[in-house]
Each structure stands twice: as structure tokens, then as C-alpha cells.
Amino acid sequence: MAQHILIAGGGSAGWMAAALLARLRPAPETRITLVESDAIGTIGVGEATVPILRDFNQLLGLHEPDFVAATQGSFKLGIEFVGWGEAGNRHFHGFGDFGPPIEGIAPHHHWHRLRQAGLTADPVDAWSMPARAAAEDRFAPPEALRGEAAQYRYAYHFDAGLYAHMLRSYAEARGVTRVEGRILDAERDRETGDLTALRLDGDRRIAADLFIDCTGFASRLLGEALGTPFIDWSRWLPADRALAQGCARAGRFTPFTRATAHAVGWQWRIPLQHRTGNGLVYSSAYLSDDAAAAQLATNLDGDAIGDPRPLRFTTGRRERFWTHNVVAIGLAAGFMEPLESTSLQLVQTGLGRLAELLPAGGPADPAIVAEYNRETIGEYERIRDFLIAHYCSSRRPEPFWRDMAAMALPDSLAHKLALWDAMGRVPLYDLESHGEASWVAVLLGQGRVPRGHDPAADWPPLDALQNAFDGRRAALAAALPRMPTHHHFVARTCRAHAA
């Protein structure tokens, strides 16, 4: 008998689950049903992503120009941070590094030595290809370049609702059954505690072997039906509200997301082909909803489209992500504020982990469930630490930022920052989403310059180091004219069709 997988909830998370499982667990061995209600809205704002989404789309066989056009998308080389660290500061977290190791040592250590010797005053961004291209609003895939200049990755911005629609078409064409309806309740086996079926409006009942909870913040199955506790991380990441607002496109068509710090929290800017997505993330303990709405309205590029959409949340995660025969994906599993665009990353990695570990039939061995939870908890905690590092390194004078800088840190992050401050080394733990170059970009970008550097960086002659850095700068400068503007690249390769 075919294994029946029931996905509760649609949106990006639900339809990503349906599409991936339809690709990897096709009929007749597996039967997949997705239950959603058009009456229940999804978060569905302009979405910024990280480079691994390219791998997801490629696995499904989606053609990149068609995907970008269908979702009103654009390309992303990284994130520009404005006003973080201190007012007026700008730095860039790009999807690339700062050059190859020199004598086996990461280049930021050599940059630190040159800086101490008074031989450079430039920020480390000057040796980042994504940062250099983004500053001129240029974009091309790395395959269009050669040598050092081609060592970077890229991601996308797109309309999340249009992406879900695209994946729905993909999944339904491969046998996924969509059921329209509201979930009223879940039935459980009295002996095992497993879910056996969902009861829907209209006196309907759907039984299944495995349930994937994509019901958003409500967490109807993992949280509500199974009572899996939620672990609250708001003592470290206290932002608990957001306002999302689209506006007409105006100004630069940037190949990057922008995150602008304000007196309380920060504002995102996501450029799409048909509009610009904006949002303000803030803490209600420091800023009223009315003041937040006024602040967002005064910082839009173009005319507002519709009314701002309020969101309320608590940063954290479920104690477990897979328990009994329920696996939570997306917001049903936990929430990380969108500062580093990790929302769909966590959906994708959770689904990938499930696809790797899920047995073909029958219940999963407890060891498999434990491993899934161990890996997912580790990923969430490493992302949590990276987000906290953006806040706790600030020198801004406002009360919100002073409190963030004074907070007691998780032990894992406290150790990482202590070693960074001492010698510029970034100890990477298991299941890190962000590599050394990402930590370097954020910490140096905020002005958190370490006291020392790797002792081995003192070995090469200073003139040799200077030549190496000058050579990389020249290679990047020579490559830039070969990259078209972002606007031109999108118009030439993946322009969205007129509505």
C-alpha cells in the first residue's frame, strides 16, 4: 500500500513540501495530499532568499529565467546594512569571500595586519566581488566572469505568493491532490499517540501515515494537537512585530536586499519587477504600532500600494520538530526574523533533511527522528547566534540598541565573539549556515575590529601582502565592466510578462 503523506497548509512552505516530495517520492509508492483553505491567508510578502534556493529549483528542474519572470523576481548578491553599528554606517554582507587564503590564512587576517601597519584604510568590502558589483547595481551570474572575480554566489527576490502558485502547478502536475477546506481537529491513536486523521469542515475526514505541519504560526498539528512546547528566544531577539508594505518601484533597481537600522528595529527593502517590498521589524516594548506605521510610511521609495499588513510573532522554535508522525516545516516549526533571509532556507533544509531520513514505508525509527531533531535544532541555534551578533555589536545610542548591546549572550555566541575580539578567528560549529566570510562581513562591517589576528599572518612580507591585495582589487575592477546593470540583465533575460 502506498504511503500517504498529508501536508496541512499551503503557502510557500506547503507547496515547497508538495513539490519536493512529488519529485523525490513519486506515485504510486507515495500518495501526497495538501489541505489548505483560500479563506486563511498566508504571510506571502516579497521574499528575499539565500543561494541554496537555486539548488532547490534546480532539483525540481525549474528553468531560472522562467522562474524569475513568473514570480516578478530579481537577483540578489547579498544584503546592504545601513545604520548598523552606528548611524551613517554602511556595509555589505555578500554571497562571496574576500579572496583566496594567503599562505593558508584567510585574507581578513592579512587585511588586519595591513591596517595596523597603516597601509590600508579601506573597508574589507573593497575586496568583495558581490559588494563591488552591488555598489554599481551590476549583476551577472559568476559563469559570465573568470578567475577570482567569479568566486561568488547569488540568490533571488520574488513574490512569495507567485512562487507558491508556480510550485502548486508543478506539484499537481505530478499527482499531488489539493483539498480545499478548513482543518477543524486532529484525531490521535489512543495507544501510540500518533495522528491518524484530520477532520475538515463539511464533515470530511482524511487519514494519512505522515503529517507535515505547514499551518504557520498556529502550528495546528505539532503545537496544538501534539502539545509540543515552544522555546522563546525573545530575551535575545525581542522584536515581536512587523509591518509589511508594498510600494511602487522608484529609484535604483538594486541586486541586493537592504536592511536599514532605525531607533527601534530595522526596515527591509526588497526590489521586485512590479513593486518594491518593504517592512519594519520592531519591538512593541520600545515603539508603538502607530509610531511604527508612521515611520514606515515616511521611508518608502514610491507611492504605497494598499495598507500596511501587521504581523505579530515571537522568535524561537518548537522543542522538537518531528514528534510521533508529525513534522513541522516553516513557521509551524519556529520563527527567525527576516534579517538574513533565512525563512525559506529553513523550509528547504527541513524538507531536504526529511527526504534524506524518511523511510519508504512504516513508522520512522526513533533514532531517525532524534537525528532529524538534533540537526534542525543545531541549524536554528546557529542562525539565532548570527542574528544576535548583528544586534549586540551595535554602538548606537538609542535605548533599544543600548539594551541589545548589554544583553547576556548564549554561551555559544559569547565564545565565538570573544575569540573574534582576541584574534579575528571565527570558530565554526556543526550545522553552521553562515561561513567565516559572512561573520567577517557583519562584524567588521559594524566596526567590531579585533585586537589581533592570526599569528601566521605576520609571516609574509608586507610588500607581498600589499601586492596581493592590489592584484585582487585590480582583478575585480577589470571584471566589473563585463557585468551589465541589474535592470538590463533582468530586462534581457527574464522580464516578467505584463499582467
Side-chain angles (χ1 to χ4, degrees), residues 7-319:
I7 302 166
S12 298
W15 286 111
M16 284 178 73
L20 184 67
L21 291 173
R23 168 70 175 80
L24 298 180
R25 300 291 181 102
E29 291 80 11
T30 304
R31 184 160 63 95
I32 303 168
T33 302
L34 185 146
V35 176
E36 68 174 344
S37 172
D38 287 335
I40 300 175
T42 59
I43 297 299
V45 296
E47 194 79 50
T49 62
V50 295
I52 65 168
L53 190 73
R54 295 183 62 212
D55 303 329
F56 184 86
N57 286 351
Q58 288 169 5
L59 178 60
L60 297 184
L62 301 182
H63 185 230
E64 182 175 87
D66 293 341
F67 152 71
V68 175
T71 60
Q72 295 279 357
S74 65
F75 295 90
K76 176 181 174 182
L77 292 168
I79 305 172
E80 180 187 50
F81 289 92
V82 179
W84 292 77
E86 59 188 11
N89 177 52
R90 286 179 182 264
H91 64 278
F92 198 81
H93 172 202
F95 299 136
D97 56 27
F98 305 100
I102 301 172
E103 299 293 335
I105 304 301
H108 72 276
H109 291 283
H110 301 288
W111 170 88
H112 186 271
R113 184 180 171 208
L114 291 173
R115 184 177 184 273
Q116 283 189 326
L119 296 177
T120 186
D122 291 331
V124 74
D125 285 359
W127 292 275
S128 163
M129 187 62 193
R132 295 285 298 274
E136 298 184 15
D137 291 340
R138 296 180 182 271
F139 176 80
E143 304 81 50
L145 305 178
R146 298 187 300 274
E148 284 190 32
Q151 303 306 307
Y152 63 93
R153 302 182 72 193
Y154 65 91
Y156 311 105
H157 312 105
F158 54 78
D159 184 306
L162 294 176
Y163 186 51
H165 178 77
M166 184 180 195
L167 295 179
R168 173 181 169 178
S169 298
Y170 177 98
E172 289 184 318
R174 287 159 180 79
V176 173
T177 299
R178 177 189 181 273
V179 174
E180 166 67 29
R182 285 179 175 269
I183 297 171
L184 302 181
D185 198 4
E187 298 178 6
R188 300 183 67 178
D189 185 284
R190 292 183 178 181
E191 294 184 1
T192 66
D194 287 354
L195 261 62
T196 56
L198 297 184
R199 291 196 304 107
L200 311 183
D201 56 359
D203 198 27
R204 293 173 293 168
R205 178 182 183 275
I206 303 179
D209 303 301
L210 178 74
F211 297 80
I212 299 179
D213 188 350
C214 298
T215 59
F217 290 129
S219 194
R220 293 289 308 278
L221 308 187
L222 188 76
E224 186 177 306
L226 297 184
T228 305
F230 184 84
I231 297 175
D232 186 336
W233 285 341
S234 59
R235 65 187 182 279
W236 294 309
L237 294 164
D240 59 355
R241 296 190 184 178
L243 286 174
Q245 173 74 73
C247 75
R249 261 190 58 191
R252 299 167 58 188
F253 188 43
T254 57
F256 55 87
T257 307
R258 178 177 294 134
T260 302
H262 292 304
V264 177
W266 60 279
Q267 181 173 331
W268 76 72
R269 178 186 181 277
I270 298 175
L272 306 177
Q273 292 189 47
H274 61 324
R275 59 178 168 84
T276 299
N278 309 274
L280 183 68
V281 177
Y282 63 101
S283 168
S284 60
Y286 295 83
L287 188 69
S288 70
D289 294 341
D290 288 344
Q295 182 167 283
L296 178 60
T298 59
N299 286 283
L300 301 178
D301 290 347
D303 293 337
I305 300 174
D307 296 324
R309 181 175 182 180
L311 305 171
R312 297 190 178 192
F313 54 83
T314 300
T315 298
R317 63 169 177 85
R318 293 289 162 181
E319 185 176 83

Side-chain angles (χ1 to χ4, degrees), residues 321-371:
F321 301 90
W322 184 348
T323 185
H324 292 283
N325 60 338
V326 174
V327 181
I329 296 292
L331 299 178
F335 179 78
M336 298 287 194
E337 64 174 77
L339 183 57
E340 283 287 349
S341 310
T342 51
S343 177
L344 291 191
Q345 170 194 325
L346 289 167
V347 171
Q348 179 182 344
T349 55
L351 290 172
R353 206 169 282 129
L354 177 63
E356 290 176 359
L357 294 173
L358 183 65
D365 189 283
I368 291 175
V369 175
E371 178 61 11

